[in-house]
Amino acid sequence: MTTGVVRAALVQTNWTGDKESMIKAHEDYARDAAAQGAKVICFQELFYGPYFCQVQDAQFYEYAESIPGPTTERFQALAAELGMVMVLPMYEQEQEGVLYNTAAVIDADGRYLGKYRKNHIPQVKGFWEKFYFRPGNLGYPVFDTAVGRVGVYICYDRHFPEGWRALGLNGAQIVFNPSATSRGLSSYLWQLEQPASAVANEYFIGAINRVGVEELGDNDFYGQTYFVDPEGKFVGDVADTHNPELIVRDLDLSLLKTVRDRWQFYRDRRPDSYDRLVQP
């Protein structure tokens, strides 16, 4: 298990109007983070597009691409140049008509390590995701990277404690949760759920949320991106509620051993008593 301090970065931003300008903006964010010494960065959910799930329109299938594919390869080259681990949340097309909400993970030498597919897919007003995505089928992978063992959970996933625990059991030290979540719906949960999950599972969480009102609907994405440590404390300030922001924070991974020795949650689990949790 990696120990020591990892400098990590998160990006929250607004929709620029087209895919290429979004990609270029995120390349600039990555370079800025690297200039500040960051060794790992995660972008927001569906980072190069709008949050099109506010409507149900097949034209937005065009945002999907293979993973690995052109955008993955473009950021593989940048990751190798900057020596930075990257988590890239994208719209994935596995084949025609088979689409997922996915995050690719790239190591600091530019190697593609694999991907996580969002497991829990909402279908409620303003978040019509079942129109666009199949549920994930890759489980809860954790990736060995240059900065330690990294896991990914995506947006709506965060309401389901089982996946957080699965990532912990798989050895995660840092879990990134890229999101697109709306002020009127979930803001009362945003600074509650993920700190609680960091405590319960004893790892760092990077929680990312885009900002702004997009032309497709009324959802007001409220930012408030942050890192939280395994004691439930914010690492530095929480990001702005309205404006794009890059945050760079130092994560002391030695804290994981401290809290795990203190609480022994993994020792004291009772999976033999949890049968109902895995019943349909």
Side-chain angles (χ1 to χ4, degrees):
M1 181 175 284
T2 301
T3 59
V5 175
V6 170
R7 182 160 290 184
L10 305 172
V11 176
Q12 65 176 44
T13 194
N14 50 10
W15 170 234
T16 59
D18 65 89
K19 180 176 179 178
E20 178 59 24
S21 64
M22 284 294 279
I23 290 174
K24 287 182 176 177
H26 283 82
E27 289 173 329
D28 290 343
Y29 280 122
R31 291 185 185 280
D32 188 355
Q36 296 182 53
K39 297 300 182 183
V40 58
I41 192 169
C42 182
F43 302 149
Q44 63 199 20
E45 184 181 19
L46 302 169
F47 86 89
Y48 57 61
Y51 183 71
F52 44 75
C53 307
Q54 293 188 78
V55 298
Q56 298 181 82
D57 191 331
Q59 69 170 311
F60 294 106
Y61 296 157
E62 296 301 317
Y63 278 92
E65 61 177 71
S66 62
I67 298 175
T71 300
T72 311
E73 291 165 5
R74 183 165 168 175
F75 281 88
Q76 283 181 262
L78 184 61
E81 176 191 337
L82 300 177
M84 179 184 287
V85 176
M86 293 188 172
V87 179
L88 311 174
M90 296 186 285
Y91 194 7
E92 180 192 7
Q93 177 179 284
E94 183 178 50
Q95 62 186 59
E96 293 290 340
V98 181
L99 308 171
Y100 297 94
N101 189 334
T102 299
V105 180
I106 300 168
D107 212 352
D109 60 3
R111 286 181 301 131
Y112 168 74
L113 297 180
K115 58 195 169 190
Y116 168 72
R117 289 172 172 162
K118 185 174 182 177
N119 277 287
H120 306 92
I121 309 297
Q123 184 74 357
V124 296
K125 182 180 179 182
F127 299 86
W128 305 114
E129 295 199 10
K130 284 185 167 68
F131 184 84
Y132 296 99
F133 313 121
R134 290 188 61 173
N137 56 5
L138 300 178
Y140 301 94
V142 171
F143 304 94
D144 284 307
T145 77
V147 297
R149 292 183 57 79
V150 168
V152 186
Y153 220 26
I154 298 177
C155 198
Y156 189 64
D157 279 333
R158 72 183 182 275
H159 305 308
F160 298 86
E162 297 84 359
W164 290 117
R165 178 50 53 89
L167 288 162
L169 289 170
N170 290 337
Q173 296 175 282
I174 307 170
V175 175
F176 293 99
N177 184 249
S179 299
T181 192
S182 174
R183 194 179 307 273
L185 180 65
S186 68
S187 55
Y188 75 101
L189 295 172
W190 183 251
Q191 293 188 28
L192 172 67
E193 281 182 314
Q194 289 161 118
S197 296
V199 169
N201 297 288
E202 298 173 323
Y203 47 56
F204 285 89
I205 293 175
I208 309 101
N209 186 26
R210 63 176 62 206
V211 288
V213 178
E214 299 177 3
E215 60 188 14
L216 295 173
D218 298 327
N219 286 357
D220 183 0
F221 303 109
Y222 53 78
Q224 298 182 48
T225 293
Y226 60 79
F227 280 107
V228 61
D229 73 20
E231 293 186 321
K233 299 173 183 175
F234 295 122
V235 183
D237 294 334
V238 174
D240 195 83
T241 60
H242 291 91
N243 297 306
E245 190 170 341
L246 167 71
I247 70 169
V248 178
R249 304 286 187 264
D250 287 333
L251 312 182
D252 184 358
L253 299 187
S254 67
L255 184 58
L256 275 67
K257 183 178 188 305
T258 300
V259 296
R260 291 186 182 205
D261 287 349
R262 177 193 303 153
W263 288 108
Q264 293 296 343
F265 292 155
Y266 287 90
R267 180 195 67 195
D268 296 336
R269 292 175 63 247
R270 287 291 310 281
D272 57 295
S273 70
Y274 303 155
D275 289 351
R276 289 193 61 194
L277 296 181
V278 294
Q279 292 175 1

